């Protein structure tokens, strides 16, 4: 079964270390809330804002989760220190989805999927299925793995430690116009390859086919 998606908008942000100029002070006016944001949440909010679609159905893909917060928790445990309630709260995969719901006052469909290197594929499949009933929606993939000692642990050749890709899509019966070659992006996590290839190769109105 193939579900076709028309691309209504797209956005990409990435950096070797931390993405800058994510416009947090404008997007999140509440300072206390802004201070609690994880890197994945900041990237997700920025991408949704770039598309102008903060209050639509959203599916977020995330391969590695909130590793910086998890590192802080493990460090505290190893040092016999008190765990940070904020780090504990922010340590789950659906953290970006929660902040998108709060900031965008989104009371609709917001969910998270994760499938390590196949996260792009999982994100597209869930989004395609949901598009059959949801109308237009936003698919966001983020990975942020810049935390202390990452260079000692990183054996995957990932040099772009933060990356986010977003697509604004809707279901269409029109034929596919964008065909992927399975391109690999050196230095980027394999989890983002497919979404990144779509964003780099598409134009507004391009149609991508998703096999279910």
């Amino acid at each position: 079964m193939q579900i076709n998606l028309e691309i209504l908008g797209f956005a990409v942000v990435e950096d070797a270390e931390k993405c800058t100029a994510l416009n947090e002070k404008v997007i999140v006016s509440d300072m206390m809330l802004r201070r609690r944001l994880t890197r994945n949440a900041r990237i997700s909010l920025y991408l949704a804002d770039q598309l102008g679609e903060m209050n639509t159905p959203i599916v977020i893909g995330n391969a590695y989760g909130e590793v910086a917060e998890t590192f802080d928790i493990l460090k505290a445990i190893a040092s016999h220190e008190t765990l940070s309630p904020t780090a504990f709260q922010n340590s789950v995969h659906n953290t970006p989805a929660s902040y998108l719901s709060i900031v965008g006052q989104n009371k609709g469909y917001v969910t998270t999927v994760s499938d390590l290197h196949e996260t792009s594929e999982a994100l597209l499949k869930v989004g395609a299925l949901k598009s059959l009933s949801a109308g237009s929606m936003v698919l966001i993939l983020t990975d942020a793995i810049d935390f202390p000692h990452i260079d000692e642990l990183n054996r995957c050749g990932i040099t772009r430690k933060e990356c986010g890709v977003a697509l604004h899509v809707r279901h269409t019966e029109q034929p596919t116009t964008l065909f992927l070659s399975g391109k690999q992006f050196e230095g980027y996590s394999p989890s983002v390859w497919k979404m990144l290839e779509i964003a780099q190769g598409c134009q507004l109105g391009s149609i991508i086919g998703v096999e279910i």
Side-chain angles (χ1 to χ4, degrees):
M1 175 184 177
Q2 177 172 298
I3 299 173
N4 286 355
L5 298 175
E6 180 184 0
I7 297 173
L8 307 174
F10 55 93
V12 178
V13 65
E14 52 86 20
D15 198 276
E17 301 295 334
K18 282 184 166 65
C19 296
T20 58
L22 293 177
N23 213 21
E24 298 105 318
K25 290 184 179 180
V26 174
I27 298 171
V28 186
S29 58
D30 186 325
M31 183 181 69
M32 295 303 294
L33 177 60
R34 188 167 65 244
R35 290 180 61 186
R36 292 199 297 269
L37 296 173
T38 65
R39 295 303 302 172
N40 283 311
R42 292 171 192 270
I43 295 169
S44 297
L45 285 163
Y46 172 79
L47 291 170
D49 182 69
Q50 286 290 292
L51 294 176
E53 296 294 335
M54 194 77 73
N55 198 22
T56 59
I58 297 173
V59 183
I60 297 175
N62 187 286
Y64 305 105
E66 302 295 349
V67 290
E69 283 64 33
T70 302
F71 174 86
D72 289 342
I73 291 171
L74 293 175
K75 181 182 177 182
I77 292 172
S79 303
H80 304 287
E81 299 173 353
T82 302
L83 296 183
S84 163
T86 300
F88 186 79
Q89 169 191 318
N90 284 345
S91 64
V92 295
H93 268 79
N94 67 343
T95 295
S98 299
Y99 285 116
L100 273 168
S101 295
I102 294 169
V103 174
Q105 299 183 348
N106 192 337
K107 298 179 181 180
Y109 181 89
V110 183
T111 193
T112 305
V113 298
S114 181
D115 193 13
L116 198 57
H117 291 171
E118 304 303 321
T119 299
S120 279
E121 184 73 20
L123 172 64
L124 288 163
K125 287 182 177 181
V126 172
L129 286 169
K130 188 61 183 176
S131 74
L132 296 175
S133 59
S136 74
M137 61 188 309
V138 171
L139 311 181
I140 298 174
L141 194 148
T142 72
D143 272 315
I145 62 168
D146 184 27
F147 63 94
H149 306 295
I150 179 58
D151 291 331
E152 300 171 28
L153 302 173
N154 180 12
R155 299 183 180 90
C156 302
I158 299 174
T159 58
R160 312 305 288 179
K161 295 174 185 173
E162 289 197 348
C163 184
V165 186
L167 302 175
H168 183 204
V169 301
R170 68 182 171 197
H171 173 249
T172 180
E173 297 293 343
Q174 296 299 311
T176 303
T177 61
L178 178 62
F179 301 90
L180 305 183
S181 63
K183 183 177 179 180
Q184 299 182 5
F185 292 84
E186 183 177 357
Y188 293 82
S189 167
S191 59
V192 307
W193 286 352
K194 193 165 189 176
M195 283 283 287
L196 199 55
E197 184 178 0
I198 293 172
Q200 288 193 357
C202 75
Q203 298 177 344
L204 296 185
S206 293
I207 298 171
I208 182 76
V210 180
E211 290 292 337
I212 305 299

